[in-house]
Amino acid sequence: MVVLAGGVLVAFALVQETKPGWWERLWYPLRYEHIVRGHARNYSLDPALLAAVIYQESKFKAGARSTSGAIGLMQLLPDTAKGIAVHTGGSAFRVEDLYDPEINVRYGAWYLRHLLQKYGDERTALAAYNAGQDNVDRWRRAGLGIQFSETRHYVDRVEELKQIYRDAYSKELGG
């Protein structure tokens, strides 16, 4: 029995180390792939990046709501989403819309594209997505990098997840 348990542990460790595609798919699911792919295309985003942000924000749970009031797959704050709705031609924004995966990912993809255009690089855009544009603008004016350890971890994690989604779901995401 001990030998079997030891063998199972060795096998588990080997799978954990080599991370084959099926293992990554088990631990990092991809939901709403047609929505992710479509809005990534519409907003000229890397679909693996969009999937990574969604996973980090909500683990692909459309009904997610944070203690700060962020809602849905991409954890958008209602005020931010209302501004996005206005910028994208919407006139009848409702907070409940943020629970709709299609609307949430559309707004989140638009916002991510906006941040990428504003800051010109992915890491800074991701920092702004997490910590807010006001914080990132203040850091940049002071010539500083990311000042929140939580935000540094967020950016690093999203970059890691982007590679995982690119490797594990290249066919589904159009890579």
Side-chain angles (χ1 to χ4, degrees):
M1 192 67 138
V2 173
V3 172
L4 179 60
V8 169
L9 287 176
V10 169
F12 181 80
L14 181 62
V15 168
Q16 185 75 352
E17 180 67 27
T18 60
K19 295 182 176 144
W22 63 267
W23 180 258
E24 298 289 19
R25 288 170 174 261
L26 178 67
W27 287 102
Y28 303 101
L30 174 63
R31 309 273 190 271
Y32 311 106
E33 63 193 60
H34 64 286
I35 293 172
V36 171
R37 196 174 48 245
H39 289 304
R41 185 175 46 252
N42 289 345
Y43 293 104
S44 301
L45 296 170
D46 178 345
L49 174 64
L50 191 55
V53 170
I54 294 168
Y55 182 85
Q56 183 62 25
E57 292 290 341
S58 69
K59 307 275 189 289
F60 283 93
K61 295 176 185 160
R65 185 175 182 111
S66 74
T67 55
S68 65
I71 297 171
L73 292 171
M74 296 194 72
Q75 289 293 281
L76 298 169
L77 291 168
D79 285 345
T80 301
K82 186 175 184 180
I84 294 167
V86 169
H87 278 87
T88 59
S91 60
F93 173 76
R94 297 174 318 134
V95 172
E96 302 79 42
D97 291 342
L98 294 177
Y99 291 105
D100 179 322
E102 198 285 324
I103 292 171
N104 192 285
V105 175
R106 178 170 17 117
Y107 287 2
W110 182 91
Y111 187 53
L112 191 54
R113 168 50 51 209
H114 165 76
L115 295 173
L116 286 163
Q117 288 172 327
K118 177 178 180 177
Y119 295 110
D121 75 275
E122 191 169 285
R123 291 186 63 81
T124 307
L126 290 170
Y129 196 96
N130 178 259
Q133 295 179 69
D134 290 344
N135 285 319
V136 170
D137 292 344
R138 187 172 55 256
W139 301 337
R140 289 179 59 160
R141 278 192 305 275
L144 302 170
I146 299 169
Q147 295 299 294
F148 299 158
S149 61
E150 174 188 329
T151 300
R152 281 192 301 273
H153 173 74
Y154 174 89
V155 171
D156 290 343
R157 182 66 175 144
V158 170
E159 291 290 326
E160 177 186 357
L161 288 165
K162 178 180 74 171
Q163 192 60 52
I164 289 169
Y165 275 92
R166 186 176 286 148
D167 293 345
Y169 296 99
S170 62
K171 183 184 288 185
E172 293 85 346
L173 293 174

